[in-house]
Structures are given as C-alpha cells and as structure tokens.
Amino acid sequence: MIESAAYGAVTQIKMGRELDGRVLYWVAAYLVDGLLIDTGCSHTAAELLEYLRDRQPRDAIMTHYHEDHVGGCSLLQQKLNVKLWAYARSLPLLNSAPRLYPYQELVWGYPEPAAVQALPGDEFRTENCRFQVVETPGHSADHVVLIEPSRGWCFSGDLFVSEKIKVLRPEEEIGGIMRSMRKLLDRGQDLVLFTAIGKIVPDGRRALSSCLAYLENLGRSVQLMHQEGFSENQIVERLFGGESSMADLTNGQFTTSNLIRSLLKSGLA
C-alpha cells in the first residue's frame, strides 16, 4: 500500500506491505526537486514504481543500507533509469547478500541487487536545492542524513524514531545515536525532521533535545542500578515493567534488554 502527502515542496511517500487489510509497518520515502530519498522495501517496489512513473525522479539517495530503505532501487533503476547514490561506507553492505530474520522477510523482503554509486562528496545538488550529507552513525555504521540548510529540512532516516526510545536492535549503538543527535543540534539550526517511519516533526531541535535528555536520565538510572547489583532483567523490569512485546514479534531483535546493554557498553549508563 502507498499513501502520499505534500508538505510544501516535499512529497512524503508512505509504503507498507498489507496483509488481511492491515499495513504491517509503514516506512517513508521523500521526493523533492527530482530527488528521491530512500526507496522503501521490496514488497512495495512495484507500487512505488507506478507512483513515480509520471513524477520522474532523476536521482535517489539511500540514508543507509537496511532492506526497508533500498528495496525499490533495482526496479527504479531498470524501469525509470534513476541514478542511485549512497554513502561510500554503504556500498560494501549494499553489495553483500543480506541475511534477514523471518519477520524482516515477511514485512520488508529481500532487496534485488542494484548498481549504486558513492555520493560524490558531502553535498548533493539538485536544480533548486543543496543537500548537505551528514554522517550520523549509530543506528547503522553507514547512516547519513540529508539537510537542506536554507529550508531547514532534515531527512533523518532512522536516526530519530521517538523521543522515548524503548527498544534497540543488537547492532545499534546508543552512544553513536546520541553523538549523531548532538551533531545536528550543534549546527544551531531549526530543523524539520522528515523521518523514515513516516513521522514529520516540525520542531526537530526540541524533539532531538528531548530524546537526548531522556537517554541521559535513563543512562544514569541504569548505571545506578547496575552498581547496586541489579541484573539486566531486573533493570528492565524495574524501569520498563518488563520486556517489550516487540521482542517476541521480531525474534528477539528489537528488545529493551538491547537498549540497557548498549547504554552500559557505551559508558553512558
């Protein structure tokens, strides 16, 4: 299923595989000035292609290599001759066959191989816009965001999900996520966050600051409980009332335990 909405000059394209009349998980791409940012998952690639036939994007940039961001690349390249770009660190990951868990296969599917070029530098220009490419590792090692400084647009991929993060995947690094958020705040600019989960956040600075304050306070609580001898499971129970239901739904990938473990490992807890 695809839904679209206009936010000024930016078109949001929300995509999700539909089963039994329900979308399993929404992801979002954004079209602006002939540039597509992310391409969704393979299960919605054909729908995305049809949606874009009359809109003719020239280029597509991936914020990172995950399967829910690159699944439309192959069809768009083959059928619309879209030029595909990604951060240089993404290329080895994009060129290797992913190993997905059953929930990933069900919700997003395996992306087809595509020829992706390395972004030519830390800036990407379209006819009317200038996008700064900012390294923001943490969610993944290759993650970048795109910022149009004259308009305050920040296409933030999966850097920002919620002001109160409660689950994390085992490969995510909460310290890196926090440093990347601070990097954006240090720019001293008001930002509108165009997130990959379909949430558009007009006051991005406030949202990022709120998330950082929450994680810093959570880290202090985790550290104190750890020093007092509480186990990881006890910390999860005391602070969150138990493990998230996402743990069972994702084969133990998205868990609150991963968040606690990452906070302890990073030294922030």
Side-chain angles (χ1 to χ4, degrees):
M1 176 179 284
I2 282 186
E3 294 181 357
S4 65
Y7 294 83
V10 179
T11 299
Q12 181 195 64
I13 308 164
K14 288 176 61 177
M15 296 164 276
R17 187 182 192 188
E18 189 177 15
L19 289 178
D20 297 326
R22 182 174 66 91
V23 172
L24 298 178
Y25 190 94
W26 289 105
V27 297
Y30 296 92
L31 180 63
V32 54
D33 200 29
L35 173 66
L36 183 67
I37 300 165
D38 286 334
T39 67
C41 69
S42 64
H43 288 319
T44 56
E47 291 176 275
L48 179 63
L49 172 65
E50 291 308 310
Y51 177 84
L52 292 174
R53 279 191 188 278
D54 297 329
R55 293 167 175 85
Q56 290 296 315
R58 294 179 294 276
D59 300 277
I61 296 178
M62 269 47 70
T63 57
H64 58 298
Y65 77 99
H66 286 163
E67 68 281 350
D68 51 327
H69 296 258
V70 304
C73 287
S74 181
L75 267 183
L76 295 181
Q77 186 174 66
Q78 292 174 32
K79 303 298 185 181
L80 299 183
N81 199 30
V82 174
K83 295 180 181 178
L84 305 175
W85 306 90
Y87 181 43
R89 189 173 289 181
S90 297
L91 298 189
L93 299 166
L94 288 169
N95 290 329
S96 61
R99 293 194 305 168
L100 303 183
Y101 284 86
Y103 81 92
Q104 293 171 300
E105 294 184 51
L106 174 67
V107 177
W108 298 307
Y110 281 91
E112 293 290 329
V116 183
Q117 304 176 69
L119 284 163
D122 57 6
E123 184 174 282
F124 190 92
R125 289 183 178 269
T126 60
E127 185 177 354
N128 301 296
C129 299
R130 177 174 61 90
F131 296 93
Q132 296 173 345
V133 181
V134 182
E135 296 179 48
T136 51
H139 174 73
S140 64
D142 66 320
H143 197 285
V144 298
V145 305
L146 301 178
I147 295 176
E148 215 299 344
S150 67
R151 296 167 172 85
W153 298 335
C154 178
F155 298 92
S156 56
D158 282 331
L159 174 62
F160 178 86
V161 176
S162 166
E163 292 180 27
K164 292 188 176 182
I165 300 171
K166 295 183 179 178
V167 295
L168 214 64
R169 297 206 301 190
E171 65 271 22
E172 291 185 271
E173 206 274 298
I174 199 66
I177 290 172
M178 294 174 71
R179 286 188 293 272
S180 291
M181 288 182 175
R182 290 192 187 100
K183 180 187 286 190
L184 298 189
L185 290 172
D186 287 345
R187 297 171 65 91
Q189 180 181 13
D190 291 336
L191 297 170
V192 179
L193 302 182
F194 294 86
T195 75
I197 62 169
K199 182 187 300 183
I200 296 176
V201 186
D203 192 349
R205 285 190 63 82
R206 185 207 59 78
L208 290 169
S209 296
S210 175
C211 184
L212 278 170
Y214 160 78
L215 289 170
E216 288 163 355
N217 289 333
L218 179 62
R220 285 190 285 270
S221 297
V222 170
Q223 175 66 29
L224 180 60
M225 295 179 71
H226 178 69
Q227 290 174 347
E228 291 176 351
F230 286 89
S231 69
E232 182 182 291
N233 288 339
Q234 288 173 323
I235 294 174
V236 170
E237 185 66 37
R238 289 289 187 96
L239 294 180
F240 294 92
E243 185 56 81
S244 169
S245 60
M246 289 287 288
D248 288 336
L249 293 172
T250 61
N251 308 100
Q253 286 292 289
F254 281 93
T255 71
T256 303
S257 296
N258 286 335
L259 174 59
I260 301 304
R261 199 174 299 123
S262 188
L263 282 165
L264 289 167
K265 184 178 179 180
S266 68
L268 295 166

